[in-house]
Amino acid sequence: MHRMISTAVAAAGNRCLHFDKDGRQCKKIAIQSHSLQRRGPLETIAESGHVTKIGPSLKARPSEDRLLFECIGVRKASTFPGFCEEHDRGIFEKIEQQNITLNEQTATILGIRSMAMELYRKHVMVQIYRELVEDLKLRNADQTLQNYKWIKRGAERAIKVNTRKLKKLFRDYYRGVSGNFHYTFFEFDRQVPFASTGAFEPAWDLDKNCLFECNPIRTHWNSVSLFCGNVGDNFYAVLSGYQKYRAHRIDTFLNSLDANSSDLISALFAISVVHLENCYVRSSWLETLSDNEISKISAMARSGILDGLGSPLPLSMRVRFPKAELISYRKI
């Protein structure tokens, strides 16, 4: 499996994922970009230069549980070959500062990072399942083979959809945000011990309503981008996405997040663990949790990775966070 993952990562390529306003992709080689700002979300939760990653570990041996709480250095945490040095520095400099402005451009920049990372992950996923399919053909494992082919087709579909969305995000970045781009900002009055980012297709909202389209080959994929993290002394959460009309599932999902809820931060954490494989926490915070709460976090991670549509229950699971007051909320 380790050899297969290494081969898939190499085959996925490392071309810069920047697109200009006319949709032309940069031809330069990508560096290892941080999907979460190192100076900000990661360093504010780091201890001795390390954070704990929640979710599947590629370093786990076949005999080990792949859903580990993995200690990782901030230099490597959340990195992927996303952008060349010029575009990595030029585009994201505005959100690397101690204070960020809550506006459309900030949401667009954060969305670009999230979507680019998910696009790269889907390229790797296609390569992994391509090798798995070839291996199963040799073993004549028909049922598993069909399942893997279905997953591979879904990932290939996601690549096409995500590429279109990334081009659209860049177009909006350069030309101005379009009318069907919607986002929600939350700002809290103090730091919180976790950070996450990524894009996902919500199967359920927080009111346990099913939102997933029946056919994963035709679904839009990764409709919602999410960023959670500390910038300066405050904690921010930004959710964004494109929609053509108000009854869209993105709007339904965003409306299920209650800005007045006392456990809003815990709900954002549950969304991050269930839907993203790019969530990091302060290690000492984990030590303050009970065994029951640690089990809840493991159940959240398993539901997002192993169970497909699964159940809406993991999104309703909550763990304790230091109290933080919501001081700014904006929904566009």
Side-chain angles (χ1 to χ4, degrees):
M1 189 65 179
H2 289 276
R3 180 196 61 79
M4 187 178 297
I5 291 172
S6 298
T7 301
V9 168
N14 59 352
R15 183 177 172 183
C16 176
L17 293 174
H18 173 272
F19 293 88
D20 66 18
K21 62 183 179 181
D22 297 316
R24 292 186 294 261
Q25 186 176 355
C26 176
K27 295 182 180 180
K28 295 180 181 178
I29 300 299
I31 62 173
Q32 287 295 313
S33 305
H34 279 84
S35 58
L36 285 162
Q37 303 97 294
R38 178 183 164 193
R39 292 180 177 84
L42 290 176
E43 287 192 347
T44 57
I45 63 172
E47 294 170 320
S48 300
H50 288 75
V51 292
T52 296
K53 179 180 182 292
I54 295 177
S57 171
L58 299 182
K59 294 181 180 179
R61 298 182 182 278
S63 59
E64 295 176 332
D65 187 347
R66 301 192 68 80
L67 291 166
L68 301 179
F69 295 90
E70 179 185 2
C71 184
I72 185 171
V74 293
R75 289 181 178 272
K76 294 184 178 181
S78 85
T79 57
F80 73 110
F83 303 95
C84 66
E85 189 170 359
E86 175 190 354
H87 290 125
D88 188 61
R89 182 179 300 144
I91 295 172
F92 304 111
E93 187 176 30
K94 295 178 181 178
I95 58 171
E96 299 284 353
Q97 304 166 2
Q98 286 296 304
N99 295 295
I100 61 175
T101 304
L102 306 182
N103 58 24
E104 292 90 344
Q105 189 174 57
T106 303
T108 304
I109 293 171
L110 291 170
I112 285 172
R113 248 186 185 162
S114 299
M115 194 61 65
M117 186 193 68
E118 291 301 330
L119 178 58
Y120 171 74
R121 292 178 68 89
K122 291 298 186 295
H123 277 290
V124 173
M125 186 176 175
V126 166
Q127 296 299 327
I128 289 175
Y129 278 93
R130 183 172 292 161
E131 288 213 19
L132 287 171
V133 165
E134 293 303 315
D135 180 61
L136 289 170
K137 283 181 180 177
L138 297 176
R139 299 186 188 184
N140 295 319
D142 293 338
Q143 185 57 53
T144 305
L145 177 62
Q146 291 304 315
N147 291 339
Y148 282 7
K149 281 183 176 180
W150 188 253
I151 294 172
K152 176 175 166 288
R153 286 178 62 198
E156 289 170 338
R157 161 71 176 169
I159 288 173
K160 294 179 181 179
V161 173
N162 288 5
T163 300
R164 288 200 302 268
K165 289 182 179 178
L166 187 57
K167 287 181 178 180
K168 193 171 185 179
L169 283 164
F170 272 114
R171 185 192 66 195
D172 284 0
Y173 170 76
Y174 286 114
R175 297 182 177 180
V177 177
S178 61
N180 64 345
F181 181 72
H182 297 270
Y183 63 91
T184 300
F185 272 113
F186 300 99
E187 181 185 2
F188 296 85
D189 65 348
R190 64 194 62 195
Q191 295 181 354
V192 173
F194 88 91
S196 64
T197 193
F200 63 96
E201 187 68 21
W204 308 87
D205 66 14
L206 273 71
D207 296 322
K208 300 182 181 180
N209 297 309
C210 186
L211 304 176
F212 201 77
E213 294 183 0
C214 295
N215 188 343
I217 301 302
R218 298 183 61 185
T219 191
H220 293 284
W221 292 106
N222 301 126
S223 291
V224 179
S225 293
L226 169 65
F227 164 84
C228 294
N230 301 314
V231 181
D233 295 328
N234 295 346
F235 179 79
Y236 295 84
V238 184
L239 295 99
S240 62
Y242 290 100
Q243 62 184 56
K244 295 182 178 179
Y245 49 89
R246 277 291 173 185
H248 196 278
R249 62 188 177 283
I250 297 175
D251 199 52
T252 303
F253 181 83
L254 294 181
N255 283 337
S256 70
L257 269 170
D258 183 3
N260 298 314
S261 172
S262 60
D263 62 0
L264 177 58
I265 290 175
S266 189
L268 291 165
F269 177 73
I271 294 169
S272 299
V273 177
V274 169
H275 287 297
L276 310 179
E277 296 178 25
N278 195 37
C279 183
Y280 301 84
V281 302
R282 184 178 296 138
S283 302
S284 61
W285 170 73
L286 283 176
E287 296 172 2
T288 68
L289 301 181
S290 66
D291 290 344
N292 182 50
E293 287 173 309
I294 295 295
S295 296
K296 285 182 179 180
I297 294 175
S298 295
M300 292 178 203
R302 288 184 183 279
S303 72
I305 298 163
L306 301 178
D307 295 341
L309 267 180
S311 161
L313 179 61
L315 278 178
S316 65
M317 293 179 176
R318 300 290 180 262
V319 295
R320 287 172 293 123
F321 280 94
K323 187 175 181 180
E325 297 294 333
L326 182 68
I327 59 174
S328 181
Y329 168 66
R330 185 180 183 189
K331 186 175 186 293
I332 302 296

